[in-house]
Amino acid sequence: MANSQFLSSEQSRELWDSHAKNQELKPELWTNLTEVELQYMSRLDTAKSVCVAAAGDGLSGFQVFHKVSKDCKIIVGDLSPERVKLAKLWFTRNGIEINDSCSNITVQIMDNQDLPIESGSCDRYISNLSIMLVPEPLKQLEEAYRILEEGGIAALSTWGREEYSTFFTLPTKVAFEMGIKLPARRSPFFLGDEKDMQIKMKEVGFT
């Protein structure tokens, strides 16, 4: 039975599938700003194999393609089959081959908590604004660590501290003022403490 405090993987897949069916193939500014920063921190110019997890509509993977060497392998994945379809379009509409023996680019369905990738086969891992949404964030960190080779780089982002977010806390505040009781849900800000996040990453092996 799914925990009422957060969406299960199956519920998340259904939600993002529904969202993708009405989504245009264009950048989402507020998420893309964070993504670009993660790419910068990942030092992609020296990358040999990059995993872009929870890639959404795939723009992040397409951007990575333009920042790595021509021999670099890229794995782009998302939990939602419909979003994976969108991710493929970023490449195919621009004449870039994917998912065949002649291509270094793979776009596939992928669960952050159980990656279909060999251990130690990547040297970069990028995941933008997803870890606070998965049922078990520690599993996502463990999987990121597992697939990275020694000395590899992981770049992740999450929502920060609740008191710094006016826009995303507004609906909850309005509901409270109007006496509307919302369903119990785990706060998307629960990983916003930087020191606590550092402890979690060290627990799975990151330094």
Side-chain angles (χ1 to χ4, degrees), residues 5-165:
Q5 294 298 313
F6 53 80
L7 296 180
S8 67
S9 294
E10 291 74 20
Q11 290 170 323
S12 293
R13 182 181 296 110
E14 291 176 3
L15 174 65
W16 291 115
D17 272 349
S18 175
H19 182 267
K21 290 177 181 178
N22 301 305
Q23 185 175 349
E24 296 181 32
L25 204 63
K26 63 180 181 180
E28 294 182 344
L29 181 60
W30 71 274
T31 57
N32 192 238
L33 289 173
T34 315
E35 178 66 40
V36 170
E37 185 64 24
L38 294 180
Q39 293 166 11
Y40 173 76
M41 291 189 295
S42 297
R43 306 173 200 166
L44 292 174
D45 57 322
T46 59
K48 297 176 294 182
S49 182
V50 183
C51 171
V52 184
D57 69 359
L59 174 60
S60 52
F62 186 66
Q63 290 174 329
V64 166
F65 169 77
H66 289 285
K67 295 178 181 180
V68 299
S69 70
K70 64 179 182 179
D71 297 321
C72 181
K73 294 181 179 180
I74 305 172
I75 304 171
V76 180
D78 196 86
L79 183 65
S80 160
E82 293 298 326
R83 301 194 99 188
V84 169
K85 290 179 184 178
L86 291 175
K88 291 178 179 178
L89 287 176
W90 279 107
F91 294 97
T92 57
R93 284 187 179 179
N94 288 278
I96 302 167
E97 294 183 352
I98 60 172
N99 293 7
D100 62 36
S101 58
C102 299
S103 174
N104 287 334
I105 306 164
T106 301
V107 183
Q108 63 187 35
I109 298 171
M110 201 160 68
D111 185 338
N112 289 1
Q113 301 168 109
D114 186 19
L115 298 173
I117 301 173
E118 291 184 14
S119 299
S121 61
C122 297
D123 63 353
R124 301 292 190 278
Y125 173 93
I126 299 174
S127 183
N128 184 33
L129 298 173
S130 71
I131 192 169
M132 72 283 188
L133 301 176
V134 301
E136 298 184 60
L138 200 60
K139 278 192 176 181
Q140 178 170 341
L141 291 178
E142 289 171 346
E143 281 294 273
Y145 185 78
R146 179 185 65 78
I147 69 167
L148 284 171
E149 65 178 36
E150 186 175 352
I153 297 173
L156 302 93
S157 62
T158 184
W159 283 15
R161 294 168 61 179
E162 188 170 1
E163 58 266 33
Y164 294 152
S165 177

Side-chain angles (χ1 to χ4, degrees), residues 150-200:
E150 186 175 352
I153 297 173
L156 302 93
S157 62
T158 184
W159 283 15
R161 294 168 61 179
E162 188 170 1
E163 58 266 33
Y164 294 152
S165 177
T166 302
F167 181 78
F168 289 106
T169 56
L170 186 59
T172 303
K173 291 177 180 176
V174 171
F176 178 78
E177 291 293 330
M178 296 182 67
I180 300 173
K181 187 175 181 180
L182 299 175
R185 287 283 185 254
R186 183 180 67 189
S187 169
F189 298 98
F190 80 109
L191 294 174
D193 186 284
E194 184 178 354
K195 291 183 178 179
D196 184 56
M197 192 63 179
Q198 289 174 347
I199 291 173
K200 285 181 170 59

